[in-house]
Amino acid sequence: QVQLQESGPGLVKPSETLSLTCTVSGGSIARYYWSWIRQPAGKGLEWIGRIYTSGSADYNSSLKSRLTMSVDMSKNQFSLKLSSVTAADTAVYYCAKVGGGNNWFDPWGQGTLVIVSS
Amino acid sequence: EIVMTQSPATLSVSPGEGATLSCRASQSISSKLAWYQQKPGQAPRLLIYGASTRATGIPARFSGSGSGTEFTLTISSLQSEDFAVYYCQQYSSWWTFGQGTKVEIK
């Protein structure tokens, strides 16, 4: 079965760029949509963006100006870059497969905590 | 943006009792609704999609209903492993989540 694992720095300085990678195992990333979702401590879930394996991406309008997603088919990975981060970007970041023909999220990675602080 | 509103924020239930969680959409989403369960320190887990279809491996005590703007997740007899936070999520127009309902032990 497909499993996802997030990786990247756990601490990013304000105004810098947050970079995360999601590695997919147990199946190919080809021909599926993949997403990033984040959750500030003690709060709810926010969809960040999705990417298809062609490289076509859609972003949450609230983050669009700072966001870039990409895919590396050779490594079975997809990535997230969020620029000009502030403390408000501190959260657990999850990657997930968009299932059911691009509808719901299943499965999810275990999540990685990113803290924005100097 | 479609806003999802869940109620109540917290539900106190005794083991073995049933629980009913509500989710309301700010506009009609047909049946394009999913429910997730999240335990502390874990990622959300898909429970229900299409408003009423259980995901693979989800026990029959979990059931979903509703369409349009009003949806319900029912847990028929709470087991110890069911105490968690539950989120609804619409996929009619991009994706938005409710703020969650915490089901705690009474």
Side-chain angles (χ1 to χ4, degrees), chain B:
Chain B
E1 175 181 301
I2 298 176
V3 177
M4 306 301 292
T5 304
Q6 292 185 242
S7 61
T10 303
L11 191 58
S12 297
V13 185
S14 298
E17 291 185 343
T20 300
L21 289 65
S22 296
C23 175
R24 173 177 294 177
S26 61
Q27 64 189 72
S28 178
I29 58 170
S30 185
S31 296
K32 296 183 177 181
L33 185 98
W35 289 95
Y36 299 85
Q37 176 194 68
Q38 187 177 35
K39 297 179 181 180
Q42 296 185 17
R45 177 176 70 144
L46 177 69
L47 296 177
I48 300 281
Y49 60 88
S52 61
T53 302
R54 280 189 302 277
T56 302
I58 301 303
R61 63 181 181 272
F62 291 92
S63 63
S65 63
S67 66
T69 61
E70 301 285 342
F71 300 87
T72 299
L73 175 69
T74 301
I75 312 171
S76 60
S77 177
L78 272 138
Q79 307 298 300
S80 57
E81 62 267 30
D82 300 335
F83 292 95
V85 179
Y86 292 84
Y87 292 95
C88 62
Q89 172 237 319
Q90 66 82 19
Y91 48 90
S92 176
S93 176
W94 301 111
W95 296 273
T96 50
F97 295 86
Q99 78 279 20
T101 290
K102 181 180 181 180
V103 178
E104 64 176 24
I105 299 175
K106 186 175 182 180

Side-chain angles (χ1 to χ4, degrees), chain A residues 2-7 20-30 34 53 70-79 81 95:
Chain A
V2 171
Q3 293 184 310
L4 295 86
Q5 178 68 58
E6 304 88 350
S7 60
L20 296 174
T21 295
C22 182
T23 300
V24 178
S25 59
S28 172
I29 66 170
W34 304 88
T53 47
S70 60
V71 64
D72 187 335
M73 297 282 289
S74 67
K75 295 182 179 179
N76 231 35
Q77 295 176 336
F78 59 102
S79 299
K81 291 186 186 299
C95 58

Side-chain angles (χ1 to χ4, degrees), chain A residues 2-118:
Chain A
V2 171
Q3 293 184 310
L4 295 86
Q5 178 68 58
E6 304 88 350
S7 60
L11 181 64
V12 181
K13 289 182 169 55
S15 80
E16 296 190 344
T17 296
L18 179 162
S19 296
L20 296 174
T21 295
C22 182
T23 300
V24 178
S25 59
S28 172
I29 66 170
R31 296 184 301 280
Y32 288 103
Y33 281 94
W34 304 88
S35 263
W36 290 95
I37 299 144
R38 69 181 182 180
Q39 184 174 38
K43 296 187 178 181
L45 299 156
E46 178 183 34
W47 172 71
I48 297 171
R50 73 168 181 186
I51 188 164
Y52 190 62
T53 47
S54 65
S56 173
D58 297 286
Y59 305 138
N60 187 319
S61 57
S62 68
L63 300 168
K64 189 173 183 177
S65 63
R66 300 191 290 132
L67 193 56
T68 304
M69 294 177 64
S70 60
V71 64
D72 187 335
M73 297 282 289
S74 67
K75 295 182 179 179
N76 231 35
Q77 295 176 336
F78 59 102
S79 299
L80 163 75
K81 291 186 186 299
L82 182 65
S83 63
S84 305
V85 297
T86 69
D89 295 310
T90 293
V92 175
Y93 285 74
Y94 296 100
C95 58
K97 180 182 177 183
V98 190
N102 197 26
N103 289 317
W104 49 85
F105 304 112
D106 180 55
W108 299 55
Q110 66 183 30
T112 187
L113 174 61
V114 179
I115 297 172
V116 178
S117 175
S118 55

